[in-house]
Every structure is written in C-alpha cells, then in structure tokens.
Amino acid sequence: MSSPSAPATAKNAYSRALPTHISVVDEREAKRISNAIDRAGESGKTTVLKQIKIIHGEGFNVEREEYRKIIRLNALTAIRELCLCMLQHKATVTFPINQEHFDYLLSLEGPGESTFMNGKKFSNLLRRRQSADDASADAIFNHAAPSIKAVWGDPAAQELFQRGLAKNMQDSAASFLDEIDRLAADKYTPTDVDILRARVRTFGVTEHQFKIELVTYRIFDVGGQRSQRQGWAPYFDDCSAIIFVAAVSSFDQYLREDPSVNRLYDALQLFESICNHRLLRSTSIILFLNKIDVLKRKLANGTRLSSYFKDYTGPNDYQYVTSYFQHLFFSQNKVPQKEIYLHLTHATDTRQMRVIVSAVNVIVQRMNLKNSGLM
C-alpha cells in the first residue's frame, strides 16, 4: 500500500501498509495463526474487497463472464448440501416425482468450491461419477437445473432450510436457488449483486489497487491455507492497521473439519491472537462484525444465542446480541493502548459499505497523522 498508509485485507482479515522492508515473523506463531485462519472462512472478507472494487475500482465488467460458472457452481453446491442435510435428518421429498431429481443431485460427486488463486479465478470441476472438463461445466449445470428447481421447491427441503438445519449452505444460497431459471438462461450474465453474493475461496496472494479520495490503497488479499503459510507470513510485519472481518451470524455453526468447534468461538480465538501478537501490539484494528442481515434473520426465526453461548442471559434481540458480541471481541484485547474501531456490516449492501469504506479511510488517515506526529 502506498503512502499514506491505508488498510489492506488478508484472510479473515489482515490489513497492512506496503512495507519499506519485510522481515520474517516467528514461524511457529505464523503457523499457529495460519491454522486459525484456515478454520475461519466465509466471514465475508472477500465480499468487502468486491465492494471496494465496485465503489472505488473498475467494477467487474472484465470478469463478469467468468463469474457465471462460479455462481452456477455455488448454486449446485448449495442444493447438494441441502440434499445431504435431508439425508442426515432422514427427511424424504414430499412429492414422489422429485425423488429422481433428489437422487440425481446426490450423484453429482463433490462439486467443489470456486477458487481465487494469485489473482486468477478457477472453477473447480463438476463431476458426475467421472471427470468433466471446465468447458462442459455450464452444460452440466444446465442439465441439473430442472432437478435443482424441483428439489428446492419441495416442501420437505424448504422446511429444513427454513428451520436453519442446512448449516453448511452458504448464506447467499437461497437467492441463487430462488432464481435458477435466470441462472440457467443461455444469455445469463451475472449482475453486481450476483457477484457480491458469489462464494470464491482465496489461495495464494492477490494484490488490488484502489484510489479512495486521492489516497492510493494497495490491498494484499492473502489466502490462509496451510500450504500458503510461507506466502502470507511476511505480511504480519509493518502493519499500520488491521481489518478483521467476523461473521456474527455464524454463532450457531460449526467448523466443517472439526464439528466440535463453534465458528464464532473460533473467530474470537483468532482475534485474540491478532490483538495480542507481539508484532502487532501498537497496530490499530478496524473490526467488522459482518453478516448482520443473516444474524437478524436467524434471531427473528427463533434461533437462540443462549443455546450456543451459555453465558448469554439477555433477550434474543438484535441490539442486545450485537452489544454482547462487541463486548466479547473487545475483551480479547489485552493491550491497553490498542485502538479498536467497530463497524456492524452487511457486506453485500453497497450503500452501507460505501459509507463504511469512507469512514475507514478517515480513520486510516487520522492514524497516519498521529503516527507521523502531526496530531
């Protein structure tokens, strides 16, 4: 990031100024934090980056066609997760005619995640008991579209989804599944809203550059997978600010790789590691408690925070719950001089993010003036 310093995100979400030098962080500490980052995906960090690109960059016109495959893959992955949830809960389709569709979707083995690797997007292959090249991915989706629509519209599937039992489905799944006909159309071109909702996993290091109110930001998006540790470890050094993105809606969800660990507890542990890291003790943090739209929906549907956070005794109300989460995150910090700036965010809401990005820009510039001794 060029001078003056500005925040840059990394997995769940590190932010740094472009260093005048790079020193290697203690490898054991880097590995420990990397392991935590591995487990803390889907916070909405990448969506924040997309919003900055829409608001202050060139948008997605160049990549729009690429996102078609990613969005279709998201939809297919989501419906398959719902089918697996129905199996887990021994639920059967309400209409017998949908059983064949249900079986077909289950036969689509492992429609993996889309990835974002070193600045290039890749759609993992869709497979139906054999490999398929990327060129045929659209054809496979189009063949599956009637089955997706049938199962998604089945009352039994809807009941499980509305009860929040399909916890591995991504938050944007319903919006894609509701519009399967549009997604399957021959001339389908993703909108900005579609792209914001698309789930893309990050590998490697990707760099983004934006100009916000005459300030040039160079943002390094750093993947947190174990194989990528050597790539992101140096970015802990020379941090001027950190943006940390946590999905507060994940309070009732557990890690895929360790179902005994609550996702939000895990995010709290990661936040504690960052706040108190020896190289980041004087670094301010901008905390995004994200996915407040999903949180509101879960609370309104009757999902009780106290069922997952036993020490919470307040009302199951958005204002009380978010105040509780703020206290939880702030209490992880053991460095008295550290400044933490809080924002409650809905990262897919461009209007809200426009205001927040502007506020973050003001905060960062104030930090720069303070660090330079000008205030």
Side-chain angles (χ1 to χ4, degrees):
M1 192 178 305
S2 62
S3 180
S5 303
T9 58
K11 191 71 173 181
N12 201 44
Y14 286 92
S15 172
R16 64 182 294 279
L18 185 67
T20 55
H21 66 280
I22 294 179
S23 61
V24 178
V25 178
D26 177 83
E27 186 174 355
R28 286 175 300 177
E29 182 68 6
K31 285 184 178 181
R32 183 173 71 84
I33 295 180
S34 177
N35 289 340
I37 292 172
D38 274 350
R39 301 191 300 268
E42 301 182 27
S43 65
K45 176 265 301 177
T46 301
T47 306
V48 172
L49 272 176
K50 291 177 187 175
Q51 286 284 20
I52 297 173
K53 187 167 184 176
I54 290 172
I55 297 167
H56 295 288
E58 298 178 352
F60 293 97
N61 288 337
V62 174
E63 304 156 284
R64 206 169 292 277
E65 289 303 313
E66 262 184 278
Y67 265 103
R68 183 179 65 247
K69 285 187 175 68
I70 293 170
I71 290 165
R72 288 173 166 178
L73 177 59
N74 285 174
L76 188 51
T77 303
I79 196 66
R80 193 168 182 277
E81 289 286 358
L82 184 57
C83 291
L84 291 171
C85 176
M86 291 178 69
L87 283 181
Q88 178 186 352
H89 292 277
K90 297 181 172 56
T92 57
V93 292
T94 303
F95 303 123
I97 195 174
N98 289 337
Q99 186 63 48
E100 184 176 351
H101 293 297
F102 180 86
D103 294 340
Y104 171 75
L105 292 172
L106 284 178
S107 76
L108 294 170
E109 295 180 352
E113 294 180 290
S114 296
T115 61
F116 192 67
M117 183 179 295
N118 294 327
K120 296 182 179 179
K121 290 185 181 65
F122 298 87
S123 295
N124 287 3
L125 300 181
L126 300 176
R127 299 185 299 275
R128 186 174 187 264
R129 302 201 183 281
Q130 73 267 347
S131 63
D133 60 28
D134 189 57
S136 67
D138 282 336
I140 295 173
F141 174 83
N142 288 334
H143 190 265
S147 296
I148 297 173
K149 187 174 181 178
V151 172
W152 176 241
D154 192 273
Q158 280 294 311
E159 181 184 358
L160 260 69
F161 177 77
Q162 295 299 333
R163 289 169 59 191
L165 297 178
K167 297 185 185 298
N168 285 331
M169 288 179 66
Q170 66 187 63
D171 297 321
S172 60
S175 63
F176 289 150
L177 296 175
D178 283 341
E179 300 190 28
I180 286 298
D181 288 341
R182 181 173 68 90
L183 268 60
D186 290 340
K187 295 184 179 180
Y188 166 61
T189 300
T191 65
D192 282 352
V193 173
D194 290 341
I195 292 172
L196 286 171
R197 291 170 174 165
R199 166 68 175 157
V200 184
R201 194 177 181 190
T202 303
F203 288 94
V205 179
T206 61
E207 179 181 338
H208 310 263
Q209 185 164 314
F210 308 98
K211 184 165 286 188
I212 303 175
E213 298 177 15
L214 302 180
V215 179
T216 299
Y217 286 70
R218 292 180 66 193
I219 300 181
F220 297 87
D221 188 5
V222 183
Q225 289 68 35
R226 292 176 178 86
S227 61
Q228 303 299 314
R229 291 168 186 156
Q230 295 299 324
W232 60 254
Y235 290 83
F236 289 112
D237 197 18
D238 287 336
C239 290
S240 63
I242 298 168
I243 294 178
F244 188 99
V245 185
V248 288
S249 61
S250 65
F251 72 87
D252 64 338
Q253 295 174 277
Y254 295 85
L255 302 180
R256 293 173 185 265
E257 58 273 43
D258 188 351
S260 68
V261 178
N262 181 286
R263 287 190 185 184
L264 196 53
Y265 275 118
D266 196 62
L268 284 162
Q269 292 175 359
L270 177 57
F271 188 71
E272 188 276 334
S273 298
I274 295 168
C275 279
N276 305 302
H277 191 284
R278 61 185 180 83
L279 293 179
L280 303 174
R281 294 180 65 83
S282 61
T283 305
S284 298
I285 294 179
I286 300 167
L287 174 62
F288 284 10
L289 296 185
N290 193 34
K291 299 192 178 181
I292 57 172
D293 55 319
V294 182
L295 173 65
K296 289 177 181 177
R297 186 165 66 245
K298 286 185 176 182
L299 296 175
N301 287 341
T303 305
R304 302 198 63 80
L305 175 62
S306 58
S307 299
Y308 302 90
F309 285 72
K310 301 298 183 182
D311 61 333
Y312 181 72
T313 57
N316 207 54
D317 172 83
Y318 171 76
Q319 298 295 336
Y320 285 91
V321 167
T322 51
S323 294
Y324 170 74
F325 287 149
Q326 177 181 345
H327 168 74
L328 282 184
F329 277 92
F330 277 49
S331 65
Q332 305 306 310
N333 175 41
K334 304 300 188 292
V335 182
Q337 71 271 22
K338 184 180 294 293
E339 294 180 311
I340 302 176
Y341 301 87
L342 174 71
H343 291 282
L344 301 176
T345 58
H346 173 185
T348 57
D349 184 338
T350 300
R351 287 190 301 174
Q352 190 216 36
M353 290 306 301
R354 190 183 300 274
V355 174
I356 289 175
V357 169
S358 179
V360 168
N361 184 47
V362 171
I363 290 170
V364 171
Q365 293 192 52
R366 188 184 303 133
M367 290 176 189
N368 292 332
L369 291 173
K370 184 176 179 180
N371 292 337
S372 63
L374 297 177
M375 66 175 294

